[in-house]
Amino acid sequence: MPSVELSAGPIDFEDTGGDGPVLVLLHGVPMDGRLWRRALPYLGGFRVIRPTLPLGGHRQPMRPDADLSQQGVANILGDFLDALDLHDVTLVLNDWGGGQFLINADRTDRIARMALVACEAFDNYPPKAARPLAVLSKMPPLFTAALQLLRLESFRQMSSGYGGMSVDKSYHLYDDLVHGWFAPALTDRAIRRDFIKFAGGAPGREELLELAEGQQKFTKPVLVVWADQDTMMPAEHGPRLAAHYPDARLEIVKDSSTLVPIDQPELLAGLLRAFVVDQSVLGGRGPVDPVREEARDE
């Protein structure tokens, strides 16, 4: 996997290449680009870039002095876009909503549009189910002990946690994904240090709401995609985001929880395609074989 060295440390990424419109697909906590592997086969004609941000699922630790607060990670994302010299980017957020803080930092020159897919917003950093980890981040030994519970499939699949983030129980690889996402923090002390820094790095409620108000200055197109069975993101935040941004529209996806790229990959890819550009501009390329592509992405 290629990597780019930033001032905060190395960022691994996957890049399909090509000269199509650029999609930068982001992930949640503590995930990586594999979140999108079911949707990727339906995004032919795009240049799809999937960075692994330092949200706890990364495999190369950041420098010890790296700012891994919510706004710090947003700036790392901005540095990543700069390092790859990307332009006219469609920035797609899912679960983690911190990419919106690039607006507050006046770092949206490279971003042509944003898609907010069942992600954190307003004062929901972190979502309610993740707040115990934020508290435990102040006590690293207890944080480390709590992580050990993620070794148990029964704990990983609790409906109040990661088990509730996907409704597609036929997707037999989902638990393998969750287990893999937590593996770096479970086995590498430096990654765990980064995860702890991020988990405790959210601003307070009043500051979050002030930052959200400042994000209204983003006047470029915004697609809000909200899931009808989401357990992490409040249902009212979808319509609220669509009203919040000056040029935004809302799509409600049925039979999906937070991880829409897993629950409704083809539908989500179609929404992104329609949002970015007409099919004819992409040369009429249809989806490739999802099974083959998913196997290749293991």
Side-chain angles (χ1 to χ4, degrees):
M1 182 182 296
S3 179
V4 61
E5 189 70 33
L6 307 179
S7 61
I11 297 294
D12 295 331
F13 66 97
E14 295 170 278
D15 184 351
T16 62
D19 56 3
V22 177
L23 294 180
V24 174
L25 306 181
L26 303 180
H27 57 81
V29 182
M31 306 174 192
D32 59 24
R34 288 176 293 175
L35 169 67
W36 290 92
R37 64 187 185 184
R38 297 189 88 186
L40 190 63
Y42 302 104
L43 293 172
F46 290 99
R47 179 185 176 187
V48 179
I49 299 172
R50 295 179 289 167
T52 297
L53 297 175
L55 303 181
H58 54 301
R59 286 167 171 77
Q60 296 195 72
M62 297 292 101
R63 295 179 181 172
D65 62 349
D67 179 359
L68 300 182
S69 66
Q70 289 280 352
Q71 290 152 291
V73 175
N75 277 313
I76 290 172
L77 170 61
D79 292 345
F80 174 79
L81 301 181
D82 290 345
L84 268 62
D85 194 24
L86 300 175
H87 300 276
D88 298 319
V89 168
T90 299
L91 192 67
V92 186
L93 313 183
N94 179 228
D95 186 31
W96 181 63
Q100 295 171 89
F101 295 126
L102 285 175
I103 302 168
N104 304 101
D106 293 321
R107 300 192 66 180
T108 58
D109 288 350
R110 296 181 181 276
I111 300 171
R113 61 191 66 79
M114 284 197 308
L116 307 178
V117 182
C119 67
E120 296 162 318
F122 304 112
D123 58 348
N124 192 40
Y125 293 84
K128 185 176 180 179
R131 289 171 195 168
L133 280 181
V135 174
L136 291 175
S137 70
K138 310 303 180 185
M139 300 168 282
L142 293 182
F143 188 101
T144 300
L147 279 185
Q148 302 308 311
L149 294 172
L150 275 302
R151 296 182 183 275
L152 304 174
E153 181 178 353
S154 58
F155 191 82
R156 291 193 300 269
Q157 291 305 312
M158 288 177 61
S159 60
S160 59
Y162 284 83
M165 294 182 74
S166 171
V167 301
D168 187 356
K169 302 309 180 187
S170 67
Y171 186 45
H172 66 283
L173 294 179
Y174 177 62
D175 187 65
D176 291 341
L177 272 178
V178 177
H179 186 264
W181 287 334
F182 277 96
L186 284 167
T187 57
D188 188 316
R189 180 176 297 179
I191 298 295
R192 190 161 57 248
R193 174 206 65 200
D194 292 348
F195 193 7
I196 290 170
K197 288 172 67 174
F198 174 77
R205 182 176 184 274
E206 293 303 318
E207 184 179 354
L208 282 170
L209 292 175
E210 289 178 8
L211 289 165
E213 287 302 307
Q215 290 160 9
Q216 290 182 302
K217 65 184 178 182
F218 187 79
T219 59
K220 299 172 185 178
V222 175
L223 172 66
V224 179
V225 180
W226 230 242
D228 72 338
Q229 297 183 39
D230 201 332
T231 61
M232 295 285 172
M233 313 304 162
E236 64 270 18
H237 277 193
R240 185 175 166 189
L241 277 171
H244 188 71
Y245 285 102
D247 182 8
R249 65 182 179 88
L250 172 67
E251 296 283 351
I252 301 294
V253 175
K254 295 182 179 180
D255 301 320
S256 181
S257 189
T258 314
L259 303 184
V260 184
I262 288 176
D263 286 339
Q264 295 291 347
E266 185 174 4
L267 175 59
L268 177 57
L271 291 173
L272 292 174
R273 183 178 294 276
F275 179 51
V276 176
V277 68
D278 183 81
Q279 176 77 15
S280 62
V281 178
L282 294 176
R285 290 180 56 185
V288 296
D289 182 355
V291 175
R292 181 177 302 170
E293 286 297 305
E294 185 166 317
R296 189 176 68 181
D297 198 39
E298 290 289 340

